[in-house]
Amino acid sequence: MKTSANWSYPTEIRIGRGRIEELAEQCRAQGMERPLLVTDRHLVGMAITRTAREVLSDGGLQHAVFSEVDPNPTERHVQAALAAFRAGGHDGVVALGGGSAMDIGKCVAFMGGQSLPLWHFSWGTEGWRDADPNGIYPVIALPTTAGTGAEVGYACVITEEQSHSKKAIYHPQLLPNVVICDPELTVGMPRTITAGSGLDAFAHCLESYCTSLYHPMGQGIAIEGMRLIKEFLPRAYRDPVDLEARINMMSASIMGAVAREKGVGAMHALSHPIGSLFNTHHGTTNAVVMPMVLAFNRKVIEKKIDRLASYLDIPGGFDGFHDFVLGFRQTLGIPENLTQLGVPRDQISALVPLVLKDPTGRTNPVKLTEENVPLLLEACF
């Protein structure tokens, strides 16, 4: 099977082995001469970052690197990156990394020429209409993980430190101009990140499939995304250099992000505040709470899960699918519950209002309330 292609859904995606070599050419196509390469502290010293820099330099592009990016990035990271972007006179961003680097890179390109404050553009408001379109710089995304789908998203998720809540900054032009999906960039991922990121994509597909919002295209994409993850994530986990598995996981990550436009639910409403308070890996946290949220939503989603299980060749309907999720997590080294993840049980009362406030919970099949959220959290420990 040929595994190199150019797609234009939802943006320009150039997927295939070795396509990082097209980076300088694509920067110039977007009008960049002085890009800022945004990555994270872990990746900045790795060979893939050196390769990206060499491609930019060999292409005659002056560039600088910003790597002060941590998991669960905050407004402080955004402001530091913005200062570097403006001080360097940069004209675009190359975002290299997982969801955190993608979110900071996209946010910097969006905020580079804006005068209004960051939170003015929070998702769920009309603030995005006030953005100056001439102050938005181009972005080229180079994902090094397969899970968040941030490379094809219209938002970036930033933690507000004062409230310990994750907020999505939204604008249609936050969608990167070009995505280069080179499976070789994901080979160096630690196994824990391969597993957590891959199950993040599975959570995007599963939750979007379960919401009641009408979006047949998202529904179809979600189902096939889960099939790819079921088949290829264990392979990528076992053998990091299995490039067929890696490229299919990159495709599934994109599919999860596209399907996510249909909405997600309680998995994300739980994982966002847990990640903000305890700095847990987002995808791994989604995976930890996944079977508990499935059971919580059962009375509403059982028929849907029966159909999904049939498509995925999982016998036993809802119960069989629930058992599959438990076994799938185990084979990928995911903690069984929040206690094993390191979350203190005595923090349930602190988490409840944050879960109820998180906007992703609004499309959960079962309405989240002050009465049932503590019970759901209890089940996760």
Side-chain angles (χ1 to χ4, degrees):
M1 181 178 68
K2 182 182 178 183
T3 52
S4 180
N6 296 344
W7 299 333
S8 58
Y9 183 70
T11 188
E12 182 177 349
I13 300 169
R14 309 176 77 83
I15 188 165
R17 183 177 181 180
R19 300 202 72 170
I20 192 174
E21 296 296 334
E22 301 172 24
L23 176 58
E25 170 194 341
Q26 292 305 312
C27 283
R28 282 227 159 83
Q30 298 302 320
M32 295 188 214
E33 294 291 337
R34 294 179 56 84
L36 178 66
L37 192 153
V38 176
T39 189
D40 62 44
R41 300 178 196 275
H42 174 71
L43 284 175
V44 68
M46 293 184 65
I48 53 177
T49 305
R50 291 194 296 272
T51 298
R53 298 196 67 181
E54 288 169 3
V55 172
L56 291 172
S57 295
D58 291 347
L61 296 176
Q62 297 182 16
H63 69 280
V65 175
F66 179 85
S67 60
E68 297 172 30
V69 178
D70 297 323
N72 302 305
T74 68
E75 184 180 13
R76 174 170 44 88
H77 296 102
V78 175
Q79 296 304 331
L82 265 175
F85 182 84
R86 290 166 176 164
H90 296 288
D91 54 9
V93 168
V94 173
L96 171 73
S100 298
M102 291 288 165
D103 283 345
I104 293 295
K106 289 159 56 180
C107 203
V108 166
F110 171 66
M111 291 295 295
Q114 305 303 319
S115 58
L116 291 166
L118 177 68
W119 304 124
H120 182 83
F121 305 105
S122 295
W123 182 77
T125 73
E126 293 293 305
W128 66 272
R129 297 183 184 277
D130 300 323
D132 177 2
N134 296 318
I136 302 173
Y137 291 84
V139 178
I140 293 180
L142 279 79
T144 63
T145 66
T148 70
E151 63 271 18
V152 293
Y154 299 89
C156 47
V157 179
I158 308 296
T159 298
E160 185 182 46
E161 290 177 287
Q162 185 175 0
S163 65
H164 298 289
S165 61
K166 290 192 176 186
K167 294 187 175 181
I169 306 303
Y170 169 78
H171 192 278
Q173 286 179 251
L174 271 166
L175 182 68
N177 303 70
V178 179
V179 180
I180 297 176
C181 286
D182 186 335
E184 294 180 340
L185 300 185
T186 70
V187 166
M189 269 196 296
R191 295 177 79 201
T192 55
I193 302 300
T194 294
S197 298
L199 284 168
D200 191 23
F202 195 84
H204 294 156
C205 291
L206 178 57
E207 290 212 281
S208 65
Y209 174 75
C210 289
T211 68
S212 60
L213 299 180
Y214 180 74
H215 197 324
M217 291 182 291
Q219 198 89 340
I221 291 169
I223 294 170
E224 179 63 6
M226 283 184 274
R227 187 193 68 80
L228 289 177
I229 295 164
K230 176 177 177 281
E231 179 175 352
F232 290 105
L233 179 54
R235 283 176 50 178
Y237 182 75
R238 288 192 302 266
D239 180 5
V241 296
D242 183 339
L243 293 182
E244 182 186 16
R246 292 290 187 185
I247 202 167
N248 277 285
M249 283 305 303
M250 295 186 94
S251 298
S253 174
I254 291 169
M255 293 166 77
V258 171
R260 189 174 58 201
E261 296 299 311
K262 185 174 177 282
V264 286
M267 294 176 204
H268 281 75
L270 294 176
S271 66
H272 284 157
I274 289 169
S276 297
L277 286 174
F278 306 108
N279 206 33
T280 58
H281 182 265
H282 172 68
T284 302
T285 311
N286 276 331
V288 168
V289 303
M290 188 178 292
M292 298 77 161
V293 172
L294 275 170
F296 177 80
N297 288 326
R298 178 170 186 159
K299 64 182 180 182
V300 177
I301 65 172
E302 186 162 4
K303 289 183 179 179
K304 279 188 174 181
I305 296 298
D306 287 346
R307 292 195 298 269
L308 174 64
S310 177
Y311 181 78
L312 296 178
D313 292 324
I314 297 170
F318 182 96
D319 289 327
F321 184 80
H322 188 270
D323 289 345
F324 161 77
V325 168
L326 290 171
F328 203 47
R329 294 189 322 162
Q330 186 176 34
T331 62
L332 296 167
I334 299 297
E336 291 184 9
N337 51 47
L338 291 179
T339 301
Q340 288 190 10
L341 191 63
V343 179
R345 192 184 195 116
D346 62 8
Q347 293 299 303
I348 288 177
S349 59
L351 285 166
V352 170
L354 297 175
V355 171
L356 289 169
K357 188 167 65 172
D358 193 279
T360 59
R362 295 172 192 164
T363 49
N364 192 65
V366 173
K367 184 178 180 181
L368 301 180
T369 67
E370 292 183 4
E371 290 73 32
N372 63 26
V373 167
L375 298 175
L376 173 58
L377 281 165
E378 282 282 358
C380 294
F381 283 92

